[in-house]
Amino acid sequence: MNRKFNWKKMSIIGVCAITMLLAACGVNQPANQNSQGAGSQSLSGQESGQSVVIQNNGREIRFDKAPERAVTLNQHVTEVMLALGLEAKMVGTAYLDDAILPIYEEAYEKIPVLSDKYPSKEVLAAADPDFVYSGWKSGFGDEGVGSMEELEQAGIQSYLHMSSNMSAPTTEDVFTDILNIGKIFRIEDRSEALISSMKREMEKITDKLGQIDKPLTVFVYDSGEDQPLTAANNYMTTLIAQAGGTNIFSDVDKGWTTVSWEEVVNRNPEVIVIVDYGDKTVEQKRNMLLHKAELADLPAIKEQKLIVLPLSAAAEGVRAPIALKILAEGMYPEKFMN
């Protein structure tokens, strides 16, 4: 799923919060440290003559060697590549949801940005890639760069991030994607180190939460004034559950769905998560929710328990520890006082 995001409108508070979280957690540092200095030597040292076969969204893909000229479509997969120290193997990137994570900025600045959204087939061909990695199916759709089959016919291999394109993905599904990229590029040790780092940071958060006997009920507000678009049974539901909450629309068998305000009121959420992206600023979304008459009696509105989560943190990528920390601290601030 893609949404237009004007990252320049991202709140200063949000950027500062992410920077502080990164500093506090040291998210993904082990993988990045492995990529410094030794860099290309580490890559070539782990190359082998054996082919790698990956099962990817119902397709079997064979890689006889590691890609040398990769293009990424969508921010969360771009950040997976950067977290694995693969910037030297990237000849292009496209479609940010918001600002790239600060710890990856320097590496990201060295990679050509092919397009604000999906590049045309002509622009992609000019980059001469041997591998295209998309976060969403739309990257290989009519508005994208062509189907995976078409790319294969042109001699370009591809990978579709599986956890972003399945029903009810978990963090384990995200880890599978990271492992697959490690296998494709013959850097499995880096992918395993990255996953271990993410798991450690997430365990620290869940340890602080402790046992939650009665999870808080949560409504995810994405967009819409007449009818809200909300998270149903998707990755947000997983993150909310790990943070000690229950998504009030997790029973809907969709990723994202449009509901009525009446149904939101009926489900009586104690917390509202505002997804930060789009033409509406966080302040505009927050003010709309706080002043919408039919929501006035909701516990979340009465107590003003509104949590802001950047869209990029809600995607199935390396920001899982950041997203979990934002949600957990927002729902149970008393558990994070020390």
Side-chain angles (χ1 to χ4, degrees):
M1 182 175 182
N2 272 304
R3 302 177 183 77
K4 182 180 178 183
F5 188 105
N6 184 345
W7 68 266
K8 292 181 180 179
K9 292 183 179 179
M10 187 179 183
S11 67
I12 294 175
I13 293 175
V15 174
C16 291
I18 288 175
T19 303
M20 290 173 66
L21 284 170
L22 289 167
C25 297
V27 174
N28 308 336
Q29 289 295 344
N32 260 355
Q33 287 170 357
N34 284 346
S35 69
Q36 301 300 319
S40 58
Q41 180 180 355
S42 176
L43 278 170
S44 60
Q46 294 181 55
E47 294 277 355
S48 70
Q50 296 182 342
S51 296
V52 171
V53 177
I54 299 291
Q55 299 295 326
N56 183 224
N57 291 279
R59 300 176 75 243
E60 184 175 279
I61 311 172
R62 182 186 184 92
F63 294 86
D64 292 326
K65 62 178 182 178
E68 294 289 335
R69 299 181 60 81
V71 168
T72 56
L73 311 176
N74 308 120
Q75 180 165 345
H76 58 302
V77 299
T78 297
E79 290 183 346
V80 167
M81 292 284 286
L82 296 177
L84 292 173
L86 288 168
E87 59 270 16
K89 300 290 185 178
M90 298 172 68
V91 296
T93 185
Y95 222 136
L96 287 191
D97 293 317
D98 53 56
I100 207 80
L101 278 173
I103 57 173
Y104 307 139
E105 281 180 355
E106 184 177 352
Y108 177 78
E109 291 298 325
K110 298 175 183 177
I111 305 165
V113 176
L114 304 183
S115 175
D116 290 339
K117 295 185 178 180
Y118 293 129
S120 65
K121 294 179 181 179
E122 293 74 18
V123 169
L124 179 71
D128 190 27
D130 60 3
F131 179 70
V132 177
Y133 179 15
S134 181
W136 309 106
K137 285 182 181 178
S138 53
F140 296 128
D142 294 338
E143 296 182 3
V145 298
S147 70
M148 298 175 80
E149 291 77 13
E150 289 172 330
L151 291 173
E152 187 174 5
Q153 290 172 7
I156 303 170
Q157 293 186 286
S158 57
Y159 183 88
L160 177 60
H161 203 65
M162 295 190 294
S163 55
S164 296
N165 297 279
M166 63 170 59
S167 176
T170 66
T171 48
E172 288 299 324
D173 293 317
V174 178
F175 297 152
T176 296
D177 278 312
I178 295 172
L179 280 174
N180 282 344
I181 296 302
K183 291 175 182 177
I184 290 168
F185 283 89
R186 276 63 167 184
I187 53 163
E188 291 179 69
D189 58 343
R190 291 194 200 174
S191 60
E192 289 168 358
L194 173 58
I195 291 166
S196 294
S197 173
M198 292 173 67
K199 285 182 176 179
R200 283 195 303 271
E201 298 309 323
M202 296 178 80
E203 285 171 2
K204 289 178 186 177
I205 297 164
T206 53
D207 285 348
K208 280 196 172 184
L209 280 172
Q211 180 68 33
I212 304 296
D213 295 323
K214 188 180 178 183
L216 293 173
T217 53
V218 181
F219 166 58
V220 177
Y221 176 67
D222 180 287
S223 58
E225 294 192 18
D226 295 332
Q227 289 184 305
L229 179 67
T230 187
N233 195 12
N234 66 11
Y235 184 56
M236 286 284 288
T237 294
T238 293
L239 292 172
I240 288 168
Q242 289 177 319
T246 300
N247 178 3
I248 60 172
F249 288 107
S250 63
D251 61 317
V252 179
D253 191 22
K254 292 182 179 180
W256 296 85
T257 189
T258 298
V259 297
S260 68
W261 289 114
E262 181 181 11
E263 188 60 28
V264 174
V265 171
N266 288 341
R267 300 193 181 205
N268 203 35
E270 298 165 285
V271 178
I272 296 176
V273 173
I274 300 173
V275 183
D276 183 6
Y277 87 100
D279 295 329
K280 298 286 187 182
T281 66
V282 167
E283 290 75 18
Q284 287 173 323
K285 290 182 178 182
R286 180 183 174 87
N287 287 336
M288 186 277 293
L289 292 167
L290 289 175
H291 294 95
K292 200 166 187 63
E294 54 263 57
L295 305 182
D297 291 331
L298 292 182
I301 298 299
K302 283 184 175 181
E303 299 178 20
Q304 295 197 20
K305 203 150 189 171
L306 281 67
I307 302 169
V308 175
L309 187 69
L311 174 61
S312 54
E316 297 84 350
V318 298
R319 298 191 186 215
I322 295 171
L324 182 61
K325 190 172 179 67
I326 291 172
L327 292 169
E329 286 188 341
M331 285 193 276
Y332 304 99
E334 70 281 359
K335 293 180 178 288
F336 295 86
M337 293 296 187
N338 298 324

